[in-house]
Amino acid sequence: ATTVTYDRAGIQRSERGTQPKTGAAMAIDLHELLHHAGYPPPYLLVGHSLAGLLIRSFVAKYPTEVGGIVLVDTSHPDQLKRLPDQMKEDGPPPRWVVRLATEVGLVRLTSQSLYEGTHPNDRINLINQAFLPTSVDAVVEELEQVPALLDEARKVTSFGDIPLRVVT
């Protein structure tokens, strides 16, 4: 089987593009990417974290093209409602602050992008460090959109008869 991974718009190697950071727009981006690359449906979609919300949008737009879904430690549409008040974040910093911190090198200097069980020179850590300055603005933009993405995902209440596995 062929496996395809991709970076959402503005993150890592992907250009930001012009589309808004909505689940529907990101679903269209992924759909176009798969079709232009020549990968025919049905797709087995695997989503981790935020991608679990975005898969809902993909299924809502293209249900006949999805052969199965795997959700791995994904975000839940009601996660902000279920958090105790003391655990709720204030949200990301203003983007002008992030841009300034990126321009002067503070983002790279203060970043501790190590994944649990990895070493500093492991590929995933090196890639994140290399692309952090160009990705951080899009990441903050996505974080700003989380409440809207949760609302959008909440509207998808069923995957119909599409096989689903949840890994937590």
Side-chain angles (χ1 to χ4, degrees), residues 11 13 20-21 38 44 48-49 57 70 85 92 101 108 111 124-125 132 158 162 167:
I11 298 176
R13 293 182 175 104
K21 290 283 190 175
L44 172 61
H48 171 258
S49 192
S57 296
V70 180
D85 286 339
R108 190 182 301 268
S111 138
I124 193 166
N125 294 315
L132 184 63
S158 173
I162 298 171
V167 180

PDB file of all heavy atoms in Angstrom, residues 11 13 20-21 38 44 48-49 57 70 85 92 101 108 111 124-125 132 158 162 167:
ATOM      1  N   ILE A  11       2.900  24.923   7.126  1.00  0.00           N
ATOM      2  CA  ILE A  11       3.647  24.172   8.134  1.00  0.00           C
ATOM      3  C   ILE A  11       4.715  23.318   7.449  1.00  0.00           C
ATOM      4  O   ILE A  11       4.461  22.700   6.422  1.00  0.00           O
ATOM      5  CB  ILE A  11       2.698  23.312   8.991  1.00  0.00           C
ATOM      6  CG1 ILE A  11       1.730  24.240   9.738  1.00  0.00           C
ATOM      7  CG2 ILE A  11       3.471  22.411   9.946  1.00  0.00           C
ATOM      8  CD1 ILE A  11       0.681  23.545  10.554  1.00  0.00           C
ATOM      9  N   ARG A  13       7.203  22.124   5.138  1.00  0.00           N
ATOM     10  CA  ARG A  13       7.589  22.433   3.758  1.00  0.00           C
ATOM     11  C   ARG A  13       6.461  23.020   2.911  1.00  0.00           C
ATOM     12  O   ARG A  13       6.681  23.363   1.760  1.00  0.00           O
ATOM     13  CB  ARG A  13       8.116  21.162   3.083  1.00  0.00           C
ATOM     14  CG  ARG A  13       9.410  20.676   3.679  1.00  0.00           C
ATOM     15  CD  ARG A  13       9.902  19.434   2.944  1.00  0.00           C
ATOM     16  NE  ARG A  13      11.192  19.036   3.421  1.00  0.00           N
ATOM     17  CZ  ARG A  13      11.407  18.012   4.219  1.00  0.00           C
ATOM     18  NH1 ARG A  13      10.405  17.279   4.638  1.00  0.00           N
ATOM     19  NH2 ARG A  13      12.621  17.721   4.611  1.00  0.00           N
ATOM     20  N   PRO A  20      -8.584  29.877   4.023  1.00  0.00           N
ATOM     21  CA  PRO A  20      -8.679  30.057   5.472  1.00  0.00           C
ATOM     22  C   PRO A  20      -8.346  28.755   6.195  1.00  0.00           C
ATOM     23  O   PRO A  20      -8.359  27.687   5.597  1.00  0.00           O
ATOM     24  CB  PRO A  20     -10.152  30.438   5.683  1.00  0.00           C
ATOM     25  CG  PRO A  20     -10.859  29.847   4.507  1.00  0.00           C
ATOM     26  CD  PRO A  20      -9.883  29.893   3.365  1.00  0.00           C
ATOM     27  N   LYS A  21      -8.027  28.870   7.479  1.00  0.00           N
ATOM     28  CA  LYS A  21      -7.718  27.682   8.284  1.00  0.00           C
ATOM     29  C   LYS A  21      -9.027  27.118   8.852  1.00  0.00           C
ATOM     30  O   LYS A  21      -9.290  27.169  10.046  1.00  0.00           O
ATOM     31  CB  LYS A  21      -6.757  28.044   9.420  1.00  0.00           C
ATOM     32  CG  LYS A  21      -5.358  28.371   8.953  1.00  0.00           C
ATOM     33  CD  LYS A  21      -4.623  27.122   8.606  1.00  0.00           C
ATOM     34  CE  LYS A  21      -3.157  27.405   8.379  1.00  0.00           C
ATOM     35  NZ  LYS A  21      -2.384  26.214   8.162  1.00  0.00           N
ATOM     36  N   GLY A  38      -2.324  11.764  -8.122  1.00  0.00           N
ATOM     37  CA  GLY A  38      -2.699  10.520  -8.792  1.00  0.00           C
ATOM     38  C   GLY A  38      -3.066   9.375  -7.864  1.00  0.00           C
ATOM     39  O   GLY A  38      -3.012   8.218  -8.275  1.00  0.00           O
ATOM     40  N   LEU A  44      -7.763   5.440   3.325  1.00  0.00           N
ATOM     41  CA  LEU A  44      -7.747   5.121   4.746  1.00  0.00           C
ATOM     42  C   LEU A  44      -7.118   6.330   5.412  1.00  0.00           C
ATOM     43  O   LEU A  44      -5.922   6.589   5.251  1.00  0.00           O
ATOM     44  CB  LEU A  44      -6.928   3.858   5.034  1.00  0.00           C
ATOM     45  CG  LEU A  44      -6.689   3.540   6.511  1.00  0.00           C
ATOM     46  CD1 LEU A  44      -8.013   3.313   7.237  1.00  0.00           C
ATOM     47  CD2 LEU A  44      -5.775   2.352   6.658  1.00  0.00           C
ATOM     48  N   HIS A  48      -3.999  12.268  13.748  1.00  0.00           N
ATOM     49  CA  HIS A  48      -3.500  12.426  15.110  1.00  0.00           C
ATOM     50  C   HIS A  48      -3.752  13.865  15.550  1.00  0.00           C
ATOM     51  O   HIS A  48      -3.602  14.802  14.766  1.00  0.00           O
ATOM     52  CB  HIS A  48      -2.002  12.116  15.165  1.00  0.00           C
ATOM     53  CG  HIS A  48      -1.370  12.463  16.468  1.00  0.00           C
ATOM     54  ND1 HIS A  48      -0.622  13.607  16.635  1.00  0.00           N
ATOM     55  CD2 HIS A  48      -1.386  11.838  17.654  1.00  0.00           C
ATOM     56  CE1 HIS A  48      -0.198  13.657  17.888  1.00  0.00           C
ATOM     57  NE2 HIS A  48      -0.651  12.605  18.526  1.00  0.00           N
ATOM     58  N   SER A  49      -4.152  14.046  16.790  1.00  0.00           N
ATOM     59  CA  SER A  49      -4.342  15.361  17.381  1.00  0.00           C
ATOM     60  C   SER A  49      -5.340  16.176  16.557  1.00  0.00           C
ATOM     61  O   SER A  49      -6.464  15.742  16.324  1.00  0.00           O
ATOM     62  CB  SER A  49      -2.995  16.065  17.540  1.00  0.00           C
ATOM     63  OG  SER A  49      -3.133  17.206  18.349  1.00  0.00           O
ATOM     64  N   SER A  57     -14.142  16.801   8.660  1.00  0.00           N
ATOM     65  CA  SER A  57     -14.479  17.672   7.531  1.00  0.00           C
ATOM     66  C   SER A  57     -14.291  16.956   6.205  1.00  0.00           C
ATOM     67  O   SER A  57     -15.086  17.117   5.281  1.00  0.00           O
ATOM     68  CB  SER A  57     -13.620  18.945   7.570  1.00  0.00           C
ATOM     69  OG  SER A  57     -13.919  19.697   8.717  1.00  0.00           O
ATOM     70  N   VAL A  70      -8.810   5.959  11.043  1.00  0.00           N
ATOM     71  CA  VAL A  70      -8.101   5.630  12.273  1.00  0.00           C
ATOM     72  C   VAL A  70      -7.817   6.948  12.989  1.00  0.00           C
ATOM     73  O   VAL A  70      -7.188   7.841  12.417  1.00  0.00           O
ATOM     74  CB  VAL A  70      -6.775   4.872  12.014  1.00  0.00           C
ATOM     75  CG1 VAL A  70      -6.078   4.557  13.333  1.00  0.00           C
ATOM     76  CG2 VAL A  70      -7.027   3.595  11.215  1.00  0.00           C
ATOM     77  N   ASP A  85     -11.624  24.455  34.458  1.00  0.00           N
ATOM     78  CA  ASP A  85     -11.272  25.848  34.186  1.00  0.00           C
ATOM     79  C   ASP A  85      -9.783  26.127  34.359  1.00  0.00           C
ATOM     80  O   ASP A  85      -9.185  26.861  33.578  1.00  0.00           O
ATOM     81  CB  ASP A  85     -12.076  26.794  35.081  1.00  0.00           C
ATOM     82  CG  ASP A  85     -13.523  26.891  34.639  1.00  0.00           C
ATOM     83  OD1 ASP A  85     -13.814  26.572  33.467  1.00  0.00           O
ATOM     84  OD2 ASP A  85     -14.364  27.266  35.478  1.00  0.00           O
ATOM     85  N   PRO A  92      -3.039  31.157  22.177  1.00  0.00           N
ATOM     86  CA  PRO A  92      -1.697  31.457  21.689  1.00  0.00           C
ATOM     87  C   PRO A  92      -1.400  32.946  21.814  1.00  0.00           C
ATOM     88  O   PRO A  92      -2.305  33.767  21.922  1.00  0.00           O
ATOM     89  CB  PRO A  92      -1.759  31.022  20.227  1.00  0.00           C
ATOM     90  CG  PRO A  92      -3.199  31.124  19.862  1.00  0.00           C
ATOM     91  CD  PRO A  92      -3.969  30.801  21.113  1.00  0.00           C
ATOM     92  N   ALA A 101       9.334  37.428  17.492  1.00  0.00           N
ATOM     93  CA  ALA A 101      10.202  36.435  18.143  1.00  0.00           C
ATOM     94  C   ALA A 101      10.890  35.547  17.110  1.00  0.00           C
ATOM     95  O   ALA A 101      12.048  35.145  17.294  1.00  0.00           O
ATOM     96  CB  ALA A 101       9.391  35.595  19.115  1.00  0.00           C
ATOM     97  N   ARG A 108      13.620  29.930  17.739  1.00  0.00           N
ATOM     98  CA  ARG A 108      14.588  28.826  17.609  1.00  0.00           C
ATOM     99  C   ARG A 108      15.410  28.665  18.891  1.00  0.00           C
ATOM    100  O   ARG A 108      15.674  27.564  19.340  1.00  0.00           O
ATOM    101  CB  ARG A 108      15.514  29.071  16.424  1.00  0.00           C
ATOM    102  CG  ARG A 108      16.365  27.867  16.086  1.00  0.00           C
ATOM    103  CD  ARG A 108      17.310  28.134  14.932  1.00  0.00           C
ATOM    104  NE  ARG A 108      16.675  28.520  13.708  1.00  0.00           N
ATOM    105  CZ  ARG A 108      16.307  27.672  12.756  1.00  0.00           C
ATOM    106  NH1 ARG A 108      16.522  26.397  12.911  1.00  0.00           N
ATOM    107  NH2 ARG A 108      15.728  28.103  11.656  1.00  0.00           N
ATOM    108  N   SER A 111      13.109  27.104  21.740  1.00  0.00           N
ATOM    109  CA  SER A 111      12.332  25.904  21.419  1.00  0.00           C
ATOM    110  C   SER A 111      13.002  24.649  21.972  1.00  0.00           C
ATOM    111  O   SER A 111      14.201  24.453  21.841  1.00  0.00           O
ATOM    112  CB  SER A 111      12.162  25.815  19.912  1.00  0.00           C
ATOM    113  OG  SER A 111      12.323  24.527  19.450  1.00  0.00           O
ATOM    114  N   ILE A 124      13.170  13.550  13.434  1.00  0.00           N
ATOM    115  CA  ILE A 124      11.970  14.339  13.716  1.00  0.00           C
ATOM    116  C   ILE A 124      12.310  15.625  14.458  1.00  0.00           C
ATOM    117  O   ILE A 124      11.734  16.680  14.206  1.00  0.00           O
ATOM    118  CB  ILE A 124      10.910  13.513  14.466  1.00  0.00           C
ATOM    119  CG1 ILE A 124       9.577  14.258  14.452  1.00  0.00           C
ATOM    120  CG2 ILE A 124      11.357  13.176  15.879  1.00  0.00           C
ATOM    121  CD1 ILE A 124       8.399  13.419  14.842  1.00  0.00           C
ATOM    122  N   ASN A 125      13.262  15.566  15.364  1.00  0.00           N
ATOM    123  CA  ASN A 125      13.663  16.760  16.105  1.00  0.00           C
ATOM    124  C   ASN A 125      14.432  17.735  15.209  1.00  0.00           C
ATOM    125  O   ASN A 125      14.253  18.945  15.306  1.00  0.00           O
ATOM    126  CB  ASN A 125      14.491  16.380  17.325  1.00  0.00           C
ATOM    127  CG  ASN A 125      13.667  15.612  18.328  1.00  0.00           C
ATOM    128  OD1 ASN A 125      12.532  15.982  18.629  1.00  0.00           O
ATOM    129  ND2 ASN A 125      14.199  14.530  18.836  1.00  0.00           N
ATOM    130  N   LEU A 132      10.834  25.215  12.164  1.00  0.00           N
ATOM    131  CA  LEU A 132      10.060  25.938  13.168  1.00  0.00           C
ATOM    132  C   LEU A 132       9.868  27.415  12.827  1.00  0.00           C
ATOM    133  O   LEU A 132       8.743  27.913  12.875  1.00  0.00           O
ATOM    134  CB  LEU A 132      10.692  25.769  14.551  1.00  0.00           C
ATOM    135  CG  LEU A 132       9.923  26.406  15.698  1.00  0.00           C
ATOM    136  CD1 LEU A 132       8.551  25.763  15.840  1.00  0.00           C
ATOM    137  CD2 LEU A 132      10.702  26.281  16.987  1.00  0.00           C
ATOM    138  N   SER A 158     -21.665  11.642  12.683  1.00  0.00           N
ATOM    139  CA  SER A 158     -21.574  10.230  12.320  1.00  0.00           C
ATOM    140  C   SER A 158     -20.665  10.076  11.107  1.00  0.00           C
ATOM    141  O   SER A 158     -20.614  10.944  10.233  1.00  0.00           O
ATOM    142  CB  SER A 158     -22.965   9.676  11.991  1.00  0.00           C
ATOM    143  OG  SER A 158     -22.863   8.360  11.485  1.00  0.00           O
ATOM    144  N   ILE A 162     -18.666   3.903   7.519  1.00  0.00           N
ATOM    145  CA  ILE A 162     -17.214   3.866   7.294  1.00  0.00           C
ATOM    146  C   ILE A 162     -16.557   3.226   8.514  1.00  0.00           C
ATOM    147  O   ILE A 162     -16.794   3.654   9.647  1.00  0.00           O
ATOM    148  CB  ILE A 162     -16.661   5.287   7.078  1.00  0.00           C
ATOM    149  CG1 ILE A 162     -17.284   5.919   5.829  1.00  0.00           C
ATOM    150  CG2 ILE A 162     -15.131   5.250   6.944  1.00  0.00           C
ATOM    151  CD1 ILE A 162     -16.968   7.393   5.657  1.00  0.00           C
ATOM    152  N   VAL A 167      -7.473   4.885  18.586  1.00  0.00           N
ATOM    153  CA  VAL A 167      -6.307   4.463  19.366  1.00  0.00           C
ATOM    154  C   VAL A 167      -5.985   5.579  20.341  1.00  0.00           C
ATOM    155  O   VAL A 167      -5.796   6.728  19.933  1.00  0.00           O
ATOM    156  CB  VAL A 167      -5.097   4.205  18.429  1.00  0.00           C
ATOM    157  CG1 VAL A 167      -3.886   3.775  19.259  1.00  0.00           C
ATOM    158  CG2 VAL A 167      -5.439   3.182  17.370  1.00  0.00           C
TER     159      VAL A 167
END
